[in-house]
Structure formats: structure tokens, C-alpha cells
Amino acid sequence: AQKVTQAQTEISVVEKEDVTLDCVYETRDTTYYLFWYKQPPSGELVFLIRRNSFDEQNEISGRYSWNFQKSTSSFNFTITASQVVDSAVYFCALRLNTDKLIFGTGTRLQVFP
Amino acid sequence: SQTIHQWPATLVQPVGSPLSLECTVEGTSNPNLYWYRQAAGRGLQLLFYSVGIGQISSEVPQNLSASRPQDRQFILSSKKLLLSDSGFYLCAWTLHDWREKLFFGSGTQLSVL
């Protein structure tokens, strides 16, 4: 069965701290895509990144970075020097060669000034 | 460019009343369409998806139904709402390419009282 686990329900940090959001996935497929979405208080999900199963290169985009490790089935997301605007719910998701996107339960990040 | 519209933004309905939420996509043709529900403090649950007009796949048996009367229109309905139908409903679309990301609407907050 396919599954995405985000074990951290809620994380609180103070501004400028680094924070890592964990994502572990389960699938027997060898070809798949992984995603991260951000849900700010407004509610709309905002796409952050997509990574295919054959590309294990880590990616950095500004203060955001992603660490994909197939050996541990993890796709973790790190925010460096967090800011109050980073406060949101973050979702990790898995898409196999089907029409469905499977989401984790999300991690609520609160960044305090 | 493509846009997705979802309305209403908020809705308060009594138990036993009917429901109709509408979602339309502009700027693309023959998209895959999705309805997700997010219960308070919980993750995203896929309710229905559609790969074409009149084609509806149901993920969770429940009090809701979906219809796709036109290529870019997706409707979520209920004949009689239950308290447990309360939640945040999100519509999404993607291209007919399993590698593609989903684009989400702004959501509808439904409160059943």
C-alpha cells in the first residue's frame, strides 16, 4: 500500500532558527513523484517542489532545501533562518503512475518573532 | 494562464440540508479534477476525482457525490448534510500527466450546524 507519514504534527520555532520537516513515504513502485505543498492561513495549497524517484540530488531554493533519500524513503524539507511568514501547514505528497496524489497529514509550523 | 475558481468561500448549513459546491477551471482543456476534504486539524482526504466529463471515481463511501457536467466544471453535492460533513473542501486540477503537480483552489469552509 502507498502511504505518506509526517510524524511531526506541530513544530514551534523562534525566528531565524532552522527547522526540518520530516516526510517518510511507502511504495513498492520504482517510479514515483514526491511533492511538498504549503498551506498558509488563507487555506489555498501552494506548490513548493516536485522530485522524481530517479533524481536523488538535494535541492536548494533560497532558504528552502530538500533532502531526498531513497534508502530511507524520506523526503525532508528544511527551512533555514525561518521567518514569521513561513508559518503554515506543510504537506508532503506522493504520486504514483495513477491519477491520485496521496498526502501526508501535514505539519503545522509556527514561527514566533 | 490557467486559473481555478471555487465557491462559495464559506458556507454554514443546517443538518439535513442539501449542498452544492462548484469548481471551474479556466485556461486548459480536459483536466483531471479533484475534490479533497480537510477536517479540522487533519490532513487532506481525497473524496472524488474525474479524468473526463461524466467520469467520477469515488475514494471514500460517504454522504457526498460529485458530478462533472462540463469539461472544466466539477460539482460536489449532498442531498442531506451531516454534522461530520463539516470541513474545508478543496478543488484541484492537473494535466493528464501523472508526473504533474496539482493546482488548488482557495477552498470552501463548510460548517454544518
Side-chain angles (χ1 to χ4, degrees), chain A residues 31-33 35 37 39 42-45 47 50 91 95-106, chain B residues 32 34 36 38 42-44 46 49 51 59 88 90 94-95 97-106:
Chain A
T31 304
Y32 51 87
Y33 277 78
F35 300 79
Y37 281 85
Q39 186 181 37
S42 62
E44 182 176 343
L45 267 76
F47 166 77
R50 175 184 62 181
F91 289 96
R95 189 167 186 183
L96 309 176
N97 190 359
T98 68
D99 296 307
K100 296 185 287 187
L101 189 62
I102 303 163
F103 283 90
T105 51
Chain B
N32 281 3
Y34 302 81
Y36 282 87
Q38 185 177 19
R42 300 181 67 178
L44 292 164
L46 178 60
Y49 67 96
V51 299
E59 288 297 295
F88 189 60
L90 284 157
T94 187
L95 297 171
D97 183 340
W98 73 274
R99 298 164 294 181
E100 283 297 326
K101 59 183 177 286
L102 266 64
F103 298 89
F104 284 84
S106 53

Side-chain angles (χ1 to χ4, degrees), chain A residues 1-24:
Chain A
Q2 297 81 32
K3 186 179 177 181
V4 176
T5 300
Q6 294 179 256
Q8 304 152 307
T9 305
E10 187 162 340
I11 301 175
S12 296
V13 299
V14 177
E15 237 182 348
K16 298 184 182 178
E17 283 186 33
D18 299 347
V19 58
T20 295
L21 310 180
D22 298 332
C23 173
V24 174

Side-chain angles (χ1 to χ4, degrees), chain B residues 15 18 46 65 71 80 108 110-111:
Chain B
V15 170
L46 178 60
S65 62
D71 180 44
K80 287 186 178 181
T108 296
L110 172 65
S111 299

Side-chain angles (χ1 to χ4, degrees), chain B:
Chain B
S1 63
Q2 301 91 3
T3 56
I4 180 169
H5 302 281
Q6 187 180 343
W7 67 92
T10 59
L11 192 59
V12 180
Q13 293 284 97
V15 170
S17 64
L19 172 73
S20 181
L21 302 182
E22 189 163 342
C23 171
T24 59
V25 180
E26 295 177 358
T28 188
S29 59
N30 198 27
N32 281 3
L33 296 171
Y34 302 81
W35 279 111
Y36 282 87
R37 177 170 62 195
Q38 185 177 19
R42 300 181 67 178
L44 292 164
Q45 179 186 37
L46 178 60
L47 301 176
F48 302 93
Y49 67 96
S50 171
V51 299
I53 295 175
Q55 300 179 60
I56 307 295
S57 297
S58 174
E59 288 297 295
V60 183
Q62 57 207 323
N63 187 41
L64 302 169
S65 62
S67 61
R68 185 170 177 173
Q70 299 180 40
D71 180 44
R72 290 168 290 174
Q73 183 185 30
F74 204 25
I75 298 172
L76 182 69
S77 304
S78 173
K79 292 182 180 178
K80 287 186 178 181
L81 283 169
L82 306 172
L83 286 173
S84 57
D85 291 324
S86 293
F88 189 60
Y89 289 81
L90 284 157
C91 181
W93 75 273
T94 187
L95 297 171
H96 277 287
D97 183 340
W98 73 274
R99 298 164 294 181
E100 283 297 326
K101 59 183 177 286
L102 266 64
F103 298 89
F104 284 84
S106 53
T108 296
Q109 183 64 54
L110 172 65
S111 299
V112 183
L113 306 177

